[in-house]
Amino acid sequence: MRRILIIGGGYAGFYTAWRLEKYLRRGEAQVTLIDPVPYMTYQPFLPEVLAGSIEARHSVIVHRRHLKKTRLITATVTYIDHAARTVTLKLPDGRQQRETYDVIVVTAGAATRTFPIPGVAEQAIGVKNIEEAVFIRDTMLRNIDTAASLPPGPEREKLLTVVFIGGGYAGIESFGELRALVTATLKKYPELSLAETHFHLIEATARILPEVSEKTSRWVLRHLGRRQAIIHLETQLTSATDGRISLSTGESFDAGLLVWTAGVIANPVITRNTDLPIDQRGRIIARTDLRIGGADTPVADAWTAGDNAAIPDLTGGGVGGFTVPNAQHAIRQAKLLARNIRDTLRGGEAQEYRHRNLGAVATLGLGTGVFQSGPIVVKGFPAWVMHRGYHVLAIPTWERKWRVLWGWWNNLWLGRDTAGLRGLESPRASFEEAASYSRPHPLAPIVTIPASAHIAVIGAVPAAATSTTDHEEENHAH
């Protein structure tokens, strides 16, 4: 029985394993999936998680619930030695372990791309996983609550200032949704006004949303401007030390929240620790049939898909000749990848990946969105409905679809949930504080007093008690 090892449980990895469970006959192959976390995050829903429109747990798909036949390992792959058909794993408890395989599938996804700008590593947070989305939401709500108790001034203004770096889809969607959350939340805070909040979007190029036409991009800019957003085009962040934002234009101001959405790179943990072929941008070199290797030099028993791979775009629509790193391509590549593995195991031929981009759709906040497919452009409420419709169909498993739909239905009648949770970074802090009160306090050191010493004890012995024994006097002295 062939051993198929899938590295990464995101879109591409999860869908590949899910489809292989349907395609493979009993005993035909053993499929193992390795990922540092036991779930797949449906990233297009992160902006709505950030805004409180979707419950955080509903935007993740638990591997063990839906992968019934796949062997699952929660671990980080630290090295792939394809020559020896071996991977080295780091388990959650720190132990090292090795796994062998016959066929490898590398679908490790992407990581946030950052630059060595002072203060970014210490102050910023991305929007790449569910934990980051929840942190941004709770931090914003906590800042609003704190600002309401402060008088107008620099500290209050800092708490109500938000900065996003990057004007791509991830940045624009998260920016618009967080703005909508703040607008809804401030209705419960008469001490604050929307005019006191400052939302800055920093984009290094001359436009936002490169996936849509320039005309559509300008419409989004005007829409955000009407919501009092401040857009800085052709501007770069130069420093964020101690929350002080400095821009290449010379502007500077304090911010209480810095969100980094300036692109992604292929997962460096994998691509820097393998003997598989890697291109100059750190992506695994792939063929059009999703095998690893060049057009004339395929690597035997090695496949890839998703954001960590440089897969040629046969439609001619890809950036630089390769498919763009998004969920639309990752899901479709994974479905073909599973079929290709099945067919080649049975002596068949692998098919080439060819998919023309269906278009781009984004939410800009509750009730507003934008959609473009070729010359067709839809704006406002219809585009927002299209966004939700597309993604509720795209998220895998009916169980998750119903949970998301039920949450939206509740929000329709009950309103947006603006409850923020505190202390998630250090949940044991309150318990540790309580436990500190029950610890025994150290006793004062006992001092030995010579018997010959004359000690006056003030208030210890009543004036009338003059008939005490020598032993009692010694006790009083101590």
Side-chain angles (χ1 to χ4, degrees), residues 25 30 42-43 58 66 75 89 96 109 175 197 246 261 304 312 360 371 383 389 421 440 442 448:
R25 306 186 187 105
Q30 179 194 61
Y42 190 73
Q43 292 176 349
H58 296 170
H66 301 287
L89 311 180
Q96 298 285 326
F175 184 87
T197 64
S246 299
T261 61
T304 189
F371 165 81
L421 301 179
T448 303

Coordinates of all heavy atoms in Angstrom, one line a residue, residues 25 30 42-43 58 66 75 89 96 109 175 197 246 261 304 312 360 371 383 389 421 440 442 448:
R25 N -9.6 3.4 -3.5 CA -10.2 2.2 -3.0 C -9.6 1.8 -1.7 O -8.5 2.2 -1.3 CB -10.0 1.1 -4.0 CG -10.4 1.4 -5.5 CD -10.3 0.2 -6.3 NE -10.5 0.5 -7.7 CZ -9.6 0.6 -8.7 NH1 -8.3 0.4 -8.3 NH2 -9.9 0.9 -9.9
Q30 N -2.4 4.7 1.8 CA -2.6 5.3 3.2 C -2.3 6.8 3.1 O -1.1 7.2 2.6 CB -1.7 4.7 4.2 CG -1.8 5.3 5.6 CD -0.7 4.9 6.5 OE1 0.5 5.2 6.3 NE2 -1.1 4.2 7.6
Y42 N -10.8 29.1 6.9 CA -11.4 29.6 5.6 C -11.1 31.1 5.6 O -11.9 31.9 6.1 CB -12.9 29.3 5.5 CG -13.4 29.6 4.1 CD1 -13.1 28.8 3.0 CD2 -14.2 30.7 3.9 CE1 -13.6 29.1 1.8 CE2 -14.7 31.1 2.7 CZ -14.3 30.3 1.6 OH -14.8 30.6 0.3
Q43 N -10.0 31.5 5.0 CA -9.5 32.9 5.2 C -10.4 34.0 4.6 O -10.4 35.1 5.1 CB -8.1 32.9 4.6 CG -7.1 32.2 5.4 CD -5.7 32.2 4.7 OE1 -5.5 32.6 3.6 NE2 -4.7 31.7 5.5
H58 N -16.7 29.2 13.6 CA -17.4 28.7 12.4 C -16.7 28.9 11.1 O -17.1 28.4 10.1 CB -18.8 29.5 12.3 CG -19.7 29.2 13.5 ND1 -20.8 29.9 13.7 CD2 -19.6 28.2 14.5 CE1 -21.4 29.4 14.8 NE2 -20.7 28.4 15.3
H66 N -14.0 15.8 9.6 CA -14.4 15.6 8.2 C -13.4 14.7 7.5 O -13.8 14.2 6.4 CB -14.5 17.0 7.5 CG -15.5 17.9 8.2 ND1 -16.8 17.7 8.0 CD2 -15.3 19.0 8.9 CE1 -17.5 18.6 8.7 NE2 -16.6 19.4 9.3
A75 N 1.8 18.6 13.9 CA 3.3 18.9 14.0 C 3.7 19.8 13.0 O 3.0 20.1 12.0 CB 4.0 17.5 13.9
L89 N 9.8 16.0 11.7 CA 8.7 16.8 12.3 C 9.2 17.3 13.7 O 10.0 16.6 14.4 CB 7.5 15.8 12.5 CG 7.0 15.0 11.3 CD1 5.8 14.2 11.7 CD2 6.7 15.9 10.1
Q96 N 11.4 15.6 18.3 CA 11.6 15.4 16.9 C 11.1 14.0 16.5 O 11.3 13.0 17.3 CB 13.1 15.6 16.6 CG 13.7 16.9 16.9 CD 13.2 18.0 15.9 OE1 13.1 17.7 14.7 NE2 13.0 19.2 16.3
G109 N 1.1 26.2 2.0 CA 0.5 27.6 2.0 C 1.5 28.7 2.1 O 2.7 28.5 1.7
F175 N -10.1 46.4 6.4 CA -10.2 47.8 6.7 C -11.7 48.2 6.7 O -12.2 48.8 7.7 CB -9.4 48.6 5.7 CG -9.4 50.1 5.9 CD1 -8.4 50.6 6.7 CD2 -10.3 50.9 5.3 CE1 -8.3 52.0 6.9 CE2 -10.3 52.3 5.5 CZ -9.3 52.8 6.3
T197 N -12.5 59.1 15.6 CA -11.7 57.9 15.1 C -11.0 58.3 13.9 O -11.4 59.1 13.0 CB -12.7 56.7 14.8 OG1 -13.6 57.1 13.8 CG2 -13.5 56.4 16.1
S246 N 5.4 56.6 11.4 CA 6.1 57.6 10.5 C 6.0 57.1 9.1 O 6.3 56.0 8.8 CB 7.6 57.7 10.9 OG 7.7 58.2 12.3
T261 N -1.0 44.0 6.1 CA -1.6 43.1 5.1 C -0.9 43.3 3.8 O -1.5 43.3 2.7 CB -3.1 43.4 4.9 OG1 -3.3 44.8 4.5 CG2 -3.9 43.2 6.2
T304 N 2.5 19.3 -5.8 CA 2.3 20.6 -5.0 C 1.1 21.3 -5.5 O 0.7 21.1 -6.7 CB 3.6 21.5 -5.1 OG1 3.4 22.5 -4.1 CG2 3.8 22.0 -6.5
P312 N 2.4 27.3 -13.4 CA 2.1 28.1 -14.6 C 0.7 28.3 -14.9 O -0.1 27.3 -14.7 CB 2.8 27.2 -15.7 CG 3.8 26.4 -15.0 CD 3.2 26.1 -13.6
A360 N -13.3 38.8 -9.1 CA -13.0 39.1 -7.7 C -14.1 39.8 -7.1 O -14.8 40.6 -7.6 CB -11.8 40.1 -7.7
F371 N -17.8 43.8 -6.9 CA -17.5 42.5 -7.7 C -17.1 42.9 -9.1 O -17.7 43.8 -9.7 CB -18.8 41.6 -7.7 CG -18.7 40.5 -8.8 CD1 -17.9 39.4 -8.5 CD2 -19.3 40.7 -10.0 CE1 -17.9 38.4 -9.5 CE2 -19.2 39.7 -11.0 CZ -18.5 38.5 -10.7
A383 N -23.4 43.5 -4.7 CA -22.1 42.9 -4.6 C -21.9 42.2 -3.3 O -21.2 41.2 -3.2 CB -21.0 43.9 -4.9
G389 N -22.9 35.0 -0.8 CA -23.4 33.8 -1.5 C -22.3 32.9 -2.0 O -22.3 31.7 -1.9
L421 N -13.7 40.2 24.2 CA -13.2 39.4 25.3 C -11.8 39.9 25.7 O -10.9 40.1 24.9 CB -13.1 37.9 24.9 CG -14.4 37.3 24.5 CD1 -14.2 35.8 24.1 CD2 -15.4 37.4 25.6
P440 N 1.1 31.7 51.8 CA 1.6 32.1 53.1 C 2.7 33.2 53.0 O 3.6 33.1 52.2 CB 2.1 30.9 53.8 CG 2.5 30.0 52.6 CD 1.5 30.3 51.5
P442 N 5.8 35.3 54.3 CA 7.0 34.9 55.1 C 7.0 35.6 56.4 O 6.6 36.7 56.6 CB 8.2 35.5 54.2 CG 7.6 36.5 53.3 CD 6.2 36.1 53.1
T448 N 16.7 36.6 68.9 CA 17.0 36.1 70.2 C 17.5 37.2 71.1 O 18.4 37.9 70.8 CB 18.1 35.0 70.2 OG1 17.6 34.0 69.3 CG2 18.3 34.4 71.6

